[in-house]
Amino acid sequence: QVQLVESGGGLVQAGGSLRLSCVVSGSTSRINDMRWYRQAPGKQRDLVALINSGGSTIYADSVKGRFTISRDNAKNTVYLQMNSLKPEDAAVYFCNVHTTLYQYWGQGTQVTVSL
């Protein structure tokens, strides 16, 4: 079993920055990909960024150049540094990790961006 706890969400003005963290506990040795998704009200949950066990990353086009995903394997933590935030970035952000057989989700953290 794997448990995920996100933190770092909040209210920020447009153009500002936030850093999300997701601490993973449990059977962490089996983790491959670590991901961040987001879901705005009335919309589907979309992939924001992914980092694999080798450190390679993938980003949604809408966040390229503004967001950076990273992981600290020693701390079992994945981060999402979000810069130049826009109102359309407002959503609940979810941490997600994949093992060989399963995927696990965090409870989500709210990001609100004001004009």
Side-chain angles (χ1 to χ4, degrees), residues 36 47-51 55-71 79-82:
W36 287 97
L47 178 66
V48 176
L50 173 157
I51 184 166
S56 296
T57 58
I58 296 173
Y59 295 93
D61 287 343
S62 59
V63 306
K64 283 180 181 176
R66 300 188 298 121
F67 290 12
T68 302
I69 189 170
S70 61
R71 63 194 285 174
Y79 305 97
L80 186 67
Q81 177 67 44
M82 305 186 294

Side-chain angles (χ1 to χ4, degrees), residues 25-42:
S25 60
S27 300
T28 58
S29 62
R30 301 179 180 182
I31 292 173
N32 297 320
D33 293 350
M34 305 180 85
R35 308 178 183 196
W36 287 97
Y37 286 78
R38 67 186 181 188
Q39 187 169 21

Side-chain angles (χ1 to χ4, degrees), residues 6 15 18 23 39 71 73 101 107:
E6 300 115 329
L18 284 174
V23 179
Q39 187 169 21
R71 63 194 285 174
N73 291 327
L101 296 177
Q107 81 286 354

